[in-house]
Amino acid sequence: MNIRESECKYEYEYIDREYYLSPSRQLTQVEKELIWKKPRSHKVSEEELRICREIKRNWDRGEMKIANILLEGDAGSGKTQLAKALSADFGLPYTKVTCFADMDKSDIIGAILPVISAERLEKLESQDKTALKALYENDGFKSSTEILMDVLGVTREQAVLKMKQLLKLAAENSEGDVIEYRFYPSEIVRAYQKGYLLEIQEPTVIRDAAVLMALNSALEPDGSINLPTEIIRRHPDFIAVITTNRGYAGCRPLNEALRDRVQHTEKMDLPAKEVMIERAAAKTNYRNQKILDMLADVIILLDRTARANAIKGVAGMRSFFYWVDAVAGGASARESLYYKVIYKITTDSEEIKLLEEALKSDGLFEDLEEADKSIKKN
């Protein structure tokens, strides 16, 4: 390793507050806990460093400010990991919203929920009663999605669905009563108003044009969101990181108006082999360099072959990590290749045959068999 490579490696691994965007900003303890903490296995990539430099350089340049980022690439290429890492680099609380086909405007701005009487509340099923009580007692800091995730122990997607059910339930149980209404902001509104880093996952799946228009409006540099209770302005620290898969089932091309509001885009592919190996070793604590090198070669070849043959699945970093981990645990490299990597790409017999032929022609099947014999022998 030459001096420049050594300097780069040091620079990649030790980003520490150099790119904080508002170092004098006072965050609450809860907000501090939302800033992503990089695990020891995290290795700073060229993409991460490039984004940090660009945003820091332009942060106080008015119209040239960069605050909307697009990360576009295959599943498992590290988009979400990078979005979280930027939270740590910039010193901003991280949150996310996962888009889905039937998103409506309430998912963008939030929902108005009737406050039903205590008497009617007690007659509801246990889970619904617990959820509504938690919403009514909320101090306004958390979004409705986060409240339901915490109190019900459900995923973000399940919490969004549950909120829709509660809206209908509360409306049905408030008929005839003189009631008050409360507005519960969405995760997007909370991040937008409080100046967080928001990852917007897969906006390409959204079907409703009106929802996309609302999202486009929010991403304007001097944008605003019209809530039922007020108009809120974009916080100067708010950063939107849009992450989307290339050629993923159900995804359309990214809306042109949305793409136009992005000021920096990264094309996310498999990282260089050396970086793949370094990350896998850090995550799994497996240190057999020869085996790691061989497994990385297999992943790279399968990824290239899948693309060349228009096979929808991908051989990404997630597959690589779990395959390495299986081998580290004593699994056969050749056998585990199928249930850790190939079957994640495809289960179609003809497509599997294409992948196998590519591995055979490069001699990688033989290498895996030799590796298995070597591991058993040792």
Side-chain angles (χ1 to χ4, degrees), residues 299-366:
I299 292 289
I300 292 167
L301 178 62
L302 289 176
D303 178 61
R304 189 166 63 238
T305 304
R307 290 171 188 271
N309 291 278
I311 298 173
K312 290 292 185 183
V314 294
M317 288 299 291
R318 289 195 195 101
S319 298
F320 183 49
F321 292 153
Y322 283 101
W323 188 26
V324 169
D325 192 60
V327 172
S332 159
R334 169 75 187 261
E335 289 177 13
S336 59
L337 166 66
Y338 283 88
Y339 54 83
K340 292 296 183 183
V341 184
I342 288 180
Y343 293 155
K344 281 188 69 178
I345 301 173
T346 181
T347 53
D348 179 87
S349 299
E350 292 303 312
E351 290 179 341
I352 290 172
K353 199 176 290 183
L354 286 170
L355 297 175
E356 289 175 333
E357 286 170 359
L359 292 171
K360 284 175 186 174
S361 65
D362 267 40
L364 286 170
F365 264 149
E366 291 178 10

Side-chain angles (χ1 to χ4, degrees), residues 112 183 227-231:
I112 295 178
F183 175 71
L227 304 181
T229 53
E230 61 180 321
I231 297 175

Side-chain angles (χ1 to χ4, degrees), residues 92-344:
L92 295 177
Y94 166 86
T95 189
K96 72 172 181 177
V97 58
T98 303
C99 300
F100 52 96
D102 296 322
M103 263 183 119
D104 56 36
K105 286 188 76 173
S106 71
D107 297 307
I108 299 294
I109 64 173
I112 295 178
L113 185 67
V115 180
I116 65 177
S117 68
E119 183 182 347
R120 294 198 184 197
L121 186 62
E122 288 302 321
K123 293 178 181 178
L124 298 179
E125 291 184 13
S126 176
Q127 190 189 63
D128 294 333
K129 181 168 63 177
T130 300
L132 284 170
K133 279 185 175 179
L135 287 168
Y136 295 157
E137 292 167 4
N138 176 40
D139 60 6
F141 180 78
K142 288 185 175 180
S143 69
S144 57
T145 302
E146 269 211 329
I147 295 166
L148 295 179
M149 285 171 65
D150 289 346
V151 76
L152 300 179
V154 296
T155 66
R156 192 171 297 272
E157 291 72 23
Q158 290 169 330
V160 169
L161 179 61
K162 188 64 181 177
M163 186 63 184
K164 292 183 185 299
Q165 294 169 349
L166 291 174
L167 284 168
K168 184 178 178 182
L169 183 67
E172 290 170 352
N173 280 272
S174 59
E175 291 177 3
D177 289 348
V178 177
I179 55 172
E180 66 170 303
Y181 289 86
R182 290 186 192 169
F183 175 71
Y184 295 89
S186 69
E187 200 67 23
I188 293 175
V189 165
R190 187 170 76 116
Y192 189 85
Q193 187 175 31
K194 294 182 178 292
Y196 297 170
L197 184 144
L198 172 71
E199 182 188 358
I200 305 172
Q201 297 181 337
E202 295 303 341
T204 50
V205 303
I206 299 172
R207 284 200 287 250
D208 190 339
V211 175
L212 282 171
M213 283 179 63
L215 195 55
N216 291 343
S217 176
L219 294 181
E220 290 284 1
D222 56 350
S224 61
I225 298 178
N226 293 325
L227 304 181
T229 53
E230 61 180 321
I231 297 175
I232 62 167
R233 301 291 173 187
R234 179 173 181 152
H235 191 287
D237 286 351
F238 173 69
I239 290 181
V241 181
I242 300 167
T243 56
T244 183
N245 289 316
R246 279 195 301 266
Y248 191 72
C251 295
R252 303 163 184 79
L254 191 66
N255 176 276
E256 286 183 12
L258 192 59
R259 188 181 282 274
D260 188 51
R261 284 162 175 76
V262 170
Q263 298 111 1
H264 185 97
T265 302
E266 291 285 347
K267 178 176 176 283
M268 303 290 289
D269 294 310
L270 275 176
K273 186 167 81 167
E274 295 74 19
V275 176
M276 289 175 65
I277 291 170
E278 191 178 6
R279 289 181 183 173
K283 269 194 181 296
T284 64
N285 206 29
Y286 185 63
R287 304 293 175 184
N288 188 321
Q289 190 66 31
K290 185 177 179 182
I291 301 295
L292 285 168
D293 190 82
M294 186 192 311
L295 301 189
D297 281 337
V298 171
I299 292 289
I300 292 167
L301 178 62
L302 289 176
D303 178 61
R304 189 166 63 238
T305 304
R307 290 171 188 271
N309 291 278
I311 298 173
K312 290 292 185 183
V314 294
M317 288 299 291
R318 289 195 195 101
S319 298
F320 183 49
F321 292 153
Y322 283 101
W323 188 26
V324 169
D325 192 60
V327 172
S332 159
R334 169 75 187 261
E335 289 177 13
S336 59
L337 166 66
Y338 283 88
Y339 54 83
K340 292 296 183 183
V341 184
I342 288 180
Y343 293 155
K344 281 188 69 178

Side-chain angles (χ1 to χ4, degrees), residues 23-37:
S24 61
R25 177 178 167 184
Q26 297 297 309
L27 298 175
T28 67
Q29 186 57 40
V30 176
E31 288 175 327
K32 288 176 183 176
E33 290 169 3
L34 291 175
I35 298 174
W36 195 63
K37 309 297 185 295

